[in-house]
Amino acid sequence: MEETFVPFRGIKNDLNGRLLCYKQDWIGGFTAGYRILAPTTYIFFASAIPVISFGEQLHRSTGGILTGAQTLASTAICGIIHSIFGGQPLLILGVAEPTVIMYTFMYNFAKGRADLGPKLFLAWAAWVCVWTSFLLILFAILGACSIINRFTRIAGELFGLLIAMLFMQQAITGAVDEFRIPHGEDRNLAQFQPSWLFGNGMFALVLTFSLLFTGLRSRKARSWCYGSGWLRGLVADYGVPLMVLVWTAVSYAPGSNVPSGIPRRLATPNPWSQGAYSNWTVVKEMLDVPLLYIFGAFIPATMIAVLYYFDHSVASQLAQQKEFNLRKPSSYHYDLLLLGFLTIFCGLVGIPPSNGVIPQSPMHTKSLATLKHQLVRSKLVTTVRKSMQKNSTLGQLYGNMQEAYEQMQTPLVYQPPPDLALKELKETTIQLAASTGNMDAPVDESIFNVDKDVDDLLPVEVKEQRLSNLLQSLMVVGCLAAMPIIRKIPTSVLWGYFAFMAIESLPGNQFWERILFLFTAPSRRYKVLQQYHATFLETVPFKTIATFTIFQTCYLLACFGITWVPIAGVLFPLLIMLLVPARQYILPKLFKGAHLQELDAAEYEEAPALPCNITEAGIQGFGLGSMGTSANDEILDEMITRSRGEVKHTYSPRITSSSDCTPIHESKSALSPRVAEAKQIYSPRISELRHTYSPHRGEKHSGTPLVGQGKNMSPSGSGLRPHNPTSS
């Protein structure tokens, strides 16, 4: 993305680029046919369940003024408008946890003021949205998105872990409240008698932990040893919503043997019930808000604007990572401008605003990459079979595949044809053809396996279109009509889902992995050599890693602590913003530049496993974390982190020759690191532990060979580092 701070230039460039491919955005969606329903339903479930959960959280936090009906309405309306008029259709909008937190602070402030109170809460919130909209539009006009890259990993991962802590806090609070009588309820009801109250709490704990356990297990279904591939993929993609249905059904097992209201269920009213539309006319009450509070609304509006600017831009950035090989231009400035108008609209109709969400946005792109892979693969398989029927040689078959691949590429009027092409044939395939004694002989499936070898030739691409975003937003509208069914979900199941979201967001967060490492026994740290691990763990001293992690942890606790302060809690986004100048001016004085670049890398980097015969003695100072991988059946499924949807980059560690360790390298691609390298090499940090020669000790070495021949490998052994990604 070009850095430009000339007013309106960024918006103008975004509009010029996206308008040229607007027609093709719709044509591409409809030409995908029924296959477009797979990514649509996938991202719908990933978006709808959190929004329903946030609605229940808001219902409890605002005394029923805002409910799941409002969060669903906001997500649906903003999603439909963005899918039609937005710049980047891969971006998914929805009500997010930061919005819930800010609205909770605002409600707690308003209800304690006699001249505001709960009655004027939505009217005052509308003024907050007006000021927020003004700031977002100002950011867009002045090109503030140009500096989004200055929010580095240290800020993003700290913010992600803060949200995970707030998720877990809500899960624990909700589960504990199941043992208490809700505020304003009749204590004489049978369900609130001590014995039944205890029974309700225990049943709620069963449902909470059952949803949590089965949800986490279903997410790993692709690594199961049983079931067919399509069944494992189905469970992995849709297991969580399926578990919500299963445990909702189990909640009805007691039947009429328990009083009504056990277990407790969602209190969200039906959208068509009496009084459900009162918030839509909140604009009439805005002038009743005292003038002092109208101007005072600028303070929380500033915090919300900062949150939306950060969250929306980063979500768009992760949805457009360069590894997805997107062909259409970005639209950061224009999308932020549109978000400003959506925010003021939501405020005027009394619903919480929606913004770009993580990890749903990169998940959407990943699912569309799978769709593109399926469409192109189907075309190439047909081409290969026809070529074999015509007794084509291997060279002719590959040429026919390349021609069919180019036909599948939709030409764009504003840019030359893409430089993407099929990958080269595997060396084993060429050797099999050569073993016949004649490379010009007809090829058959004994040489070229149609079902497997076609996949190895396809580069990563994305079906860029608007239809899936529009359809999933319309399905959210359907949730409003299905509210009588949704209300049957027990609240305890949602507490389990909050805990699931907290735990699910941890893998891939290097900050969290470094925290775990600090509590790892020194005698067990060597086990990381048997797994994939972050590259900086082999290049940065352990004391530096520990100091950096302790700094982040203290900062995280400060951010979490301020959320407990009744009025000052609204300022927690300010602490996130302060990380930008702290990263640029303070941290470089505390850490070496090379170490800081490794610890705060722009990309998610990991090194391949190095299974070595290392004794437990002598590894006291070895700093390592873990990042395991597993085989998968869906493109990019295990190549993106679950916390932020980042594409993982596999780099070789800096190594020199030895005779003690045997690393693993890639036999096919970065997706399958399985085959052991023939040469015996070692990492300098590892040799240091073995008390052998190491460049860290000033000893001499004969050379620095490289390991890793996958597509995503980088010659880091020669000191080259990946450049910072720029979205385009």
Side-chain angles (χ1 to χ4, degrees):
M1 177 175 57
E2 176 190 1
E3 285 200 10
T4 174
F5 300 100
V6 178
F8 295 100
R9 177 176 293 179
I11 298 174
K12 179 182 177 182
N13 293 341
D14 290 346
L15 284 173
N16 289 339
R18 295 303 309 192
L19 285 175
L20 290 173
C21 51
Y22 185 80
K23 180 179 179 181
Q24 204 282 325
D25 282 343
W26 292 106
I27 295 176
F30 286 104
T31 54
Y34 71 92
R35 290 179 182 267
I36 198 67
L37 295 178
T40 298
T41 54
Y42 173 71
I43 203 61
F44 160 71
F45 285 117
S47 300
I49 297 180
V51 170
I52 295 172
S53 302
F54 297 150
E56 181 64 19
Q57 184 180 354
L58 269 177
H59 180 271
R60 291 172 173 247
S61 301
T62 62
I65 295 178
L66 292 173
T67 65
Q70 280 78 28
T71 57
L72 286 170
S74 174
T75 301
I77 294 172
C78 294
I80 291 173
I81 293 176
H82 180 80
S83 65
I84 298 174
F85 301 105
Q88 179 50 263
L90 300 178
L91 182 64
I92 299 297
L93 269 61
V95 175
E97 179 68 8
T99 301
V100 177
I101 296 171
M102 296 303 293
Y103 263 69
T104 300
F105 285 136
M106 290 159 53
Y107 176 78
N108 291 334
F109 173 82
K111 73 176 182 180
R113 302 295 183 274
D115 43 359
L116 274 181
K119 182 179 180 181
L120 290 179
F121 161 64
L122 287 180
W124 183 62
W127 282 111
V128 174
C129 289
V130 170
W131 286 115
T132 302
S133 174
F134 168 75
L135 292 173
L136 291 175
I137 294 173
L138 186 63
F139 290 166
I141 292 174
L142 298 180
C145 292
S146 298
I147 63 171
I148 191 62
N149 285 334
R150 298 185 186 180
F151 287 89
T152 57
R153 176 173 297 276
I154 185 176
E157 293 193 334
L158 188 146
F159 181 71
L161 203 53
L162 174 63
I163 297 301
M165 292 175 66
L166 293 172
F167 279 155
M168 187 59 70
Q169 173 186 290
Q170 180 61 39
I172 295 174
T173 302
V176 171
D177 286 344
E178 296 289 340
F179 290 89
R180 299 171 178 169
I181 300 176
H183 178 71
E185 295 289 345
D186 186 0
R187 294 175 174 268
N188 296 322
L189 294 177
Q191 68 192 58
F192 297 137
Q193 299 306 308
S195 58
W196 287 116
L197 194 61
F198 178 78
N200 176 78
M202 295 304 296
F203 192 25
L205 288 180
V206 170
L207 295 176
T208 297
F209 282 100
S210 297
L211 188 280
L212 174 61
F213 176 77
T214 55
L216 292 174
R217 292 287 295 175
S218 67
R219 288 290 292 142
K220 299 179 180 179
R222 282 192 174 84
S223 62
W224 292 353
C225 299
Y226 40 87
S228 58
W230 71 267
L231 179 60
R232 295 195 303 269
L234 183 68
V235 173
D237 290 339
Y238 303 102
V240 176
L242 178 62
M243 290 302 103
V244 172
L245 294 177
V246 167
W247 294 111
T248 298
V250 170
S251 70
Y252 282 93
S256 58
N257 297 323
V258 297
S260 176
I262 297 181
R264 298 172 189 171
R265 305 186 187 275
L266 298 187
T268 300
N270 293 322
W272 52 84
S273 61
Q274 186 177 4
Y277 296 99
S278 59
N279 59 295
W280 294 92
T281 59
V282 69
V283 66
K284 299 179 180 179
E285 302 173 354
M286 290 180 64
L287 294 180
D288 296 335
V289 178
L291 190 62
L292 175 64
Y293 294 107
I294 292 178
F295 287 100
F298 185 80
I299 297 176
T302 303
M303 300 298 104
I304 296 177
V306 169
L307 274 176
Y308 283 4
Y309 161 72
F310 174 77
D311 220 12
H312 197 74
S313 299
V314 172
S316 183
Q317 187 181 48
L318 292 175
Q320 303 175 81
Q321 296 173 74
K322 64 179 182 180
E323 291 75 17
F324 289 129
N325 295 320
L326 300 183
R327 298 176 56 201
K328 297 176 182 178
S330 61
S331 182
Y332 291 96
H333 307 280
Y334 171 70
D335 283 344
L336 190 63
L337 176 71
L338 181 61
L339 178 63
F341 289 112
L342 290 176
T343 300
I344 192 172
F345 169 79
C346 291
L348 295 180
V349 297
I351 58 179
S354 293
N355 65 284
V357 288
I358 303 172
Q360 288 88 338
S361 296
M363 286 170 61
H364 184 218
T365 307
K366 188 211 76 168
S367 66
L368 293 175
T370 302
L371 172 62
K372 181 72 172 184
H373 181 90
Q374 294 170 345
L375 294 173
V376 176
R377 184 184 185 279
S378 178
K379 175 70 172 180
L380 293 189
V381 167
T382 302
T383 301
V384 170
R385 297 195 184 280
K386 289 182 179 179
S387 299
M388 288 183 176
Q389 292 176 359
K390 296 179 181 180
N391 296 325
S392 299
T393 65
L394 184 61
Q396 292 172 338
L397 182 143
Y398 184 78
N400 293 339
M401 292 176 63
Q402 184 67 49
E403 182 180 353
Y405 175 79
E406 293 174 355
Q407 292 176 357
M408 292 290 291
Q409 305 305 308
T410 304
L412 300 178
V413 296
Y414 67 93
Q415 68 176 29
D419 54 2
L420 283 178
L422 292 179
K423 299 177 184 177
E424 295 182 0
L425 289 169
K426 293 188 301 183
E427 186 177 347
T428 54
T429 303
I430 298 176
Q431 290 176 351
L432 282 174
S435 65
T436 62
N438 184 6
M439 287 292 294
D440 295 329
V443 66
D444 55 24
E445 290 204 40
S446 64
I447 297 175
F448 188 89
N449 190 315
V450 179
D451 294 327
K452 296 181 179 179
D453 291 343
V454 169
D455 291 323
D456 295 328
L457 299 177
L458 294 178
V460 176
E461 291 183 273
V462 176
K463 188 68 174 177
E464 300 178 63
Q465 42 71 50
R466 295 178 178 269
L467 187 59
S468 60
N469 201 340
L470 175 62
L471 290 178
Q472 72 91 18
S473 299
L474 292 175
M475 293 175 73
V476 175
V477 176
C479 288
L480 289 171
M483 190 58 70
I485 299 176
I486 293 176
R487 292 177 62 189
K488 297 182 181 297
I489 300 176
T491 55
S492 51
V493 169
L494 292 188
W495 310 144
Y497 185 75
F498 272 107
F500 167 80
M501 288 192 293
I503 297 175
E504 183 70 5
S505 66
L506 298 179
N509 190 315
Q510 291 184 352
F511 178 23
W512 169 251
E513 291 168 1
R514 283 187 273 108
I515 291 177
L516 292 180
F517 170 70
L518 295 184
F519 292 95
T520 303
S523 60
R524 309 301 292 173
R525 291 172 188 161
Y526 75 96
K527 284 186 171 293
V528 75
L529 299 176
Q530 303 169 6
Q531 305 173 5
Y532 269 49
H533 50 273
T535 56
F536 65 79
L537 297 173
E538 294 189 21
T539 58
V540 181
F542 171 61
K543 289 184 178 179
T544 302
I545 295 174
T547 304
F548 187 80
T549 305
I550 292 173
F551 165 78
Q552 270 190 291
T553 304
C554 294
Y555 205 98
L556 171 66
L557 294 177
C559 293
F560 182 70
I562 199 174
T563 62
W564 287 71
V565 181
I567 298 179
V570 74
L571 300 176
F572 83 91
L574 184 61
L575 293 181
I576 305 297
M577 283 292 295
L578 290 177
L579 278 174
V580 176
R583 170 63 177 86
Q584 288 187 321
Y585 303 110
I586 299 178
L587 293 184
K589 297 180 180 180
L590 303 177
F591 302 94
K592 293 182 179 180
H595 294 165
L596 194 56
Q597 183 180 1
E598 294 278 353
L599 292 169
D600 196 28
E603 297 176 338
Y604 187 95
E605 304 174 8
E606 58 181 14
L610 295 172
C612 306
N613 296 323
I614 293 183
T615 60
E616 295 187 5
I619 55 175
Q620 301 300 318
F622 193 39
L624 285 173
S626 63
M627 177 52 57
T629 59
S630 59
N632 62 83
D633 295 321
E634 183 176 356
I635 183 172
L636 291 178
D637 184 69
E638 294 297 333
M639 287 296 292
I640 71 171
T641 63
R642 296 202 294 270
S643 58
R644 302 177 68 204
E646 290 181 283
V647 176
K648 301 176 185 177
H649 295 264
T650 307
Y651 293 95
S652 301
R654 296 178 175 87
I655 48 178
T656 52
S657 62
S658 178
S659 60
D660 292 326
C661 301
T662 304
I664 293 177
H665 78 94
E666 321 247 345
S667 61
K668 293 184 180 180
S669 69
L671 294 177
S672 9
R674 298 172 183 169
V675 184
E677 178 79 271
K679 294 183 179 180
Q680 293 178 323
I681 57 176
Y682 79 108
S683 166
R685 290 295 308 282
I686 301 170
S687 66
E688 194 173 301
L689 303 176
R690 292 294 305 258
H691 305 290
T692 60
Y693 291 96
S694 168
H696 289 260
R697 298 178 169 229
E699 307 287 353
K700 293 183 179 180
H701 284 269
S702 58
T704 308
L706 303 177
V707 178
Q709 302 170 1
K711 180 183 176 186
N712 290 333
M713 293 293 188
S714 168
S716 56
S718 59
L720 299 180
R721 303 305 308 157
H723 65 279
N724 289 336
T726 56
S727 301
S728 59

